[in-house]
Amino acid sequence: MSPRLQAEHDLSPVELNAIEERLNSYNRRLTGHQDDRALACTLRNDAGRAIGIAAGYSWAGIAELKLMWIDEAHRGSGHGRTLLDAFVAEAADRGVRRVWVSTHDFQAPGLYEKAGFERLAELNGWPEGHSNIILCKTIAAGD
């Protein structure tokens, strides 16, 4: 039977996670790095509800911050920087040397730059009328 191509826009998180794990397994095998782990710092209110998160992963001496979010009612209070600093500190504790993040010009590139991230690329037209910015922070040994 030949493979059949079709657009599927409603794959379950379980199926997507299983496919991602297959890709990660392949990457581990090719690189010899077996140390991939989720990395997340969460800020919760008194009721236990998440009002902010910095989430991503660490692997092979790097970390990627994939999700940075602060509830609108709690923005402007320094919570973003607190979460970012905690994420970087946890990454450093794992021996990470570089932390990568992608953000848009209408999000918070200044937050990352003030925290020591260097702007390495700006991709215009992603989305149309805006740009996607790639930043990296190098963590010195012992930080």
Side-chain angles (χ1 to χ4, degrees), residues 30-65:
L30 288 180
T31 65
H33 292 282
Q34 307 288 323
D35 62 344
D36 54 312
R37 292 174 45 199
L39 196 166
C41 300
T42 307
L43 185 63
R44 295 185 182 276
N45 65 14
D46 291 337
R49 182 174 166 262
I51 59 170
I53 189 166
Y57 65 92
S58 64
W59 174 62
I62 63 96
E64 183 179 7
L65 177 58

Coordinates of all heavy atoms in Angstrom, one line a residue, residues 30-65:
L30 N 21.3 10.3 16.6 CA 22.3 10.9 15.7 C 23.4 11.8 16.4 O 24.5 11.8 16.0 CB 21.6 11.8 14.6 CG 20.9 11.0 13.6 CD1 20.3 11.9 12.5 CD2 21.8 10.0 12.8
T31 N 23.0 12.5 17.5 CA 23.9 13.4 18.2 C 24.6 12.8 19.3 O 25.6 13.3 19.8 CB 23.2 14.6 18.7 OG1 22.2 14.2 19.7 CG2 22.5 15.4 17.5
G32 N 24.0 11.7 19.9 CA 24.6 11.1 21.1 C 24.2 11.8 22.4 O 24.6 11.5 23.5
H33 N 23.4 12.9 22.3 CA 22.9 13.6 23.4 C 21.6 13.1 23.9 O 20.6 13.2 23.1 CB 22.8 15.1 23.1 CG 24.2 15.8 22.9 ND1 25.0 16.1 23.9 CD2 24.8 16.1 21.7 CE1 26.1 16.6 23.4 NE2 26.0 16.6 22.1
Q34 N 21.5 12.6 25.1 CA 20.3 11.9 25.6 C 19.7 12.8 26.7 O 18.9 12.3 27.5 CB 20.7 10.6 26.2 CG 21.4 9.6 25.2 CD 20.6 9.1 24.1 OE1 19.4 8.8 24.3 NE2 21.1 9.0 22.9
D35 N 20.1 14.0 26.9 CA 19.7 14.8 28.1 C 18.6 15.8 27.9 O 18.4 16.7 28.6 CB 21.0 15.6 28.6 CG 21.5 16.6 27.5 OD1 21.1 16.5 26.3 OD2 22.3 17.4 27.9
D36 N 17.7 15.5 26.9 CA 16.6 16.4 26.6 C 15.5 16.3 27.8 O 15.2 15.2 28.2 CB 16.0 16.2 25.3 CG 15.6 14.8 25.0 OD1 16.4 13.9 25.3 OD2 14.4 14.5 24.6
R37 N 15.1 17.5 28.2 CA 14.1 17.5 29.3 C 13.3 18.8 29.1 O 13.8 19.8 28.7 CB 14.8 17.6 30.7 CG 15.5 16.4 31.1 CD 16.3 16.6 32.4 NE 15.5 17.3 33.5 CZ 16.1 17.8 34.5 NH1 17.5 17.8 34.6 NH2 15.4 18.4 35.4
A38 N 12.0 18.7 29.5 CA 11.2 19.9 29.6 C 11.8 20.9 30.6 O 12.4 20.4 31.6 CB 9.8 19.5 29.9
L39 N 11.5 22.1 30.4 CA 12.0 23.2 31.3 C 10.9 24.2 31.4 O 10.5 24.8 30.4 CB 13.3 23.8 30.8 CG 14.1 24.6 31.8 CD1 15.5 24.8 31.2 CD2 13.6 25.9 32.2
A40 N 10.3 24.4 32.6 CA 9.2 25.3 32.7 C 9.2 25.9 34.1 O 9.4 25.3 35.1 CB 7.8 24.6 32.4
C41 N 8.9 27.2 34.1 CA 8.7 28.0 35.4 C 7.4 28.6 35.3 O 7.0 29.3 34.3 CB 9.8 29.0 35.5 SG 11.5 28.4 35.6
T42 N 6.6 28.5 36.3 CA 5.2 28.9 36.3 C 5.0 29.9 37.5 O 5.5 29.7 38.6 CB 4.2 27.8 36.4 OG1 4.5 26.8 35.4 CG2 2.8 28.2 36.2
L43 N 4.2 30.9 37.2 CA 3.8 31.9 38.3 C 2.3 31.7 38.5 O 1.5 31.7 37.5 CB 4.1 33.3 37.8 CG 3.8 34.5 38.7 CD1 4.7 34.3 40.0 CD2 4.1 35.8 38.0
R44 N 1.9 31.4 39.7 CA 0.5 31.1 40.0 C 0.0 32.1 41.1 O 0.7 32.6 41.9 CB 0.4 29.7 40.6 CG 0.8 28.6 39.6 CD 0.5 27.2 40.1 NE 0.9 26.3 39.1 CZ 0.2 25.9 38.1 NH1 -1.0 26.3 37.9 NH2 0.6 25.0 37.2
N45 N -1.3 32.4 41.0 CA -2.0 33.3 41.9 C -2.3 32.5 43.2 O -2.0 31.3 43.3 CB -3.2 34.0 41.3 CG -4.3 33.0 40.9 OD1 -4.3 31.9 41.3 ND2 -5.2 33.6 40.2
D46 N -2.9 33.1 44.2 CA -3.3 32.5 45.4 C -4.2 31.3 45.2 O -4.2 30.3 46.1 CB -3.9 33.5 46.4 CG -2.9 34.5 46.9 OD1 -1.6 34.2 46.8 OD2 -3.3 35.6 47.3
A47 N -5.0 31.3 44.2 CA -6.0 30.2 43.9 C -5.3 29.1 43.2 O -5.9 28.0 42.9 CB -7.2 30.7 43.1
G48 N -4.0 29.2 42.8 CA -3.3 28.2 42.1 C -3.4 28.2 40.6 O -2.9 27.4 39.9
R49 N -4.1 29.3 40.1 CA -4.3 29.5 38.6 C -3.0 30.1 38.0 O -2.4 31.0 38.6 CB -5.4 30.4 38.4 CG -5.7 30.6 36.9 CD -7.0 31.4 36.8 NE -7.1 31.9 35.4 CZ -6.8 33.1 35.0 NH1 -6.3 34.0 35.9 NH2 -6.9 33.5 33.7
A50 N -2.5 29.5 36.9 CA -1.4 30.0 36.2 C -1.6 31.4 35.7 O -2.6 31.6 35.0 CB -0.9 29.1 35.1
I51 N -0.8 32.4 36.1 CA -0.9 33.7 35.5 C 0.3 34.1 34.7 O 0.4 35.1 34.1 CB -1.1 34.8 36.6 CG1 0.0 34.7 37.6 CG2 -2.5 34.5 37.3 CD1 0.0 35.9 38.6
G52 N 1.3 33.2 34.6 CA 2.5 33.4 33.8 C 3.3 32.1 33.7 O 3.2 31.2 34.6
I53 N 3.9 32.0 32.5 CA 4.8 30.8 32.3 C 5.9 31.1 31.4 O 5.7 31.9 30.4 CB 3.9 29.6 31.8 CG1 4.7 28.3 31.8 CG2 3.3 29.9 30.4 CD1 3.9 27.0 31.6
A54 N 7.0 30.5 31.6 CA 8.2 30.4 30.7 C 8.4 29.0 30.5 O 8.8 28.3 31.5 CB 9.4 31.2 31.3
A55 N 8.3 28.4 29.3 CA 8.4 27.0 29.1 C 9.1 26.7 27.8 O 9.0 27.4 26.8 CB 7.0 26.4 29.0
G56 N 9.8 25.6 27.8 CA 10.6 25.1 26.7 C 11.3 23.8 27.0 O 10.7 23.0 27.7
Y57 N 12.6 23.7 26.7 CA 13.3 22.5 27.0 C 14.8 22.8 27.0 O 15.2 23.9 26.6 CB 13.0 21.5 25.9 CG 13.5 21.9 24.5 CD1 14.8 21.5 24.1 CD2 12.7 22.6 23.7 CE1 15.3 21.9 22.8 CE2 13.2 23.0 22.4 CZ 14.5 22.7 22.0 OH 14.9 23.1 20.8
S58 N 15.5 21.9 27.5 CA 17.0 21.9 27.4 C 17.4 20.6 26.8 O 16.8 19.6 26.9 CB 17.6 22.1 28.8 OG 17.4 20.9 29.6
W59 N 18.5 20.7 26.0 CA 19.1 19.5 25.3 C 20.5 19.9 24.8 O 20.6 21.0 24.1 CB 18.2 19.1 24.2 CG 18.7 18.0 23.3 CD1 19.0 16.8 23.7 CD2 19.0 18.1 21.9 NE1 19.5 16.0 22.6 CE2 19.4 16.8 21.5 CE3 18.9 19.1 21.0 CZ2 19.8 16.6 20.2 CZ3 19.2 18.8 19.7 CH2 19.7 17.6 19.3
A60 N 21.4 19.1 25.0 CA 22.7 19.2 24.3 C 23.4 20.5 24.6 O 24.0 21.1 23.7 CB 22.6 18.9 22.8
G61 N 23.3 21.0 25.8 CA 24.0 22.3 26.1 C 23.2 23.6 25.7 O 23.8 24.7 25.8
I62 N 22.0 23.4 25.2 CA 21.2 24.6 24.8 C 19.9 24.5 25.5 O 19.5 23.4 25.9 CB 21.0 24.8 23.3 CG1 20.3 23.6 22.7 CG2 22.4 24.9 22.6 CD1 18.8 23.8 22.5
A63 N 19.1 25.6 25.5 CA 17.8 25.6 25.9 C 17.0 26.5 24.9 O 17.6 27.4 24.4 CB 17.6 26.2 27.4
E64 N 15.8 26.2 24.7 CA 14.9 27.0 23.9 C 13.7 27.4 24.7 O 13.0 26.5 25.2 CB 14.5 26.3 22.6 CG 13.7 27.2 21.7 CD 13.3 26.6 20.4 OE1 13.5 25.3 20.2 OE2 12.7 27.3 19.6
L65 N 13.4 28.7 24.8 CA 12.2 29.2 25.4 C 11.1 29.2 24.3 O 11.2 30.0 23.4 CB 12.4 30.5 26.0 CG 11.3 31.3 26.6 CD1 10.7 30.4 27.7 CD2 11.7 32.6 27.1

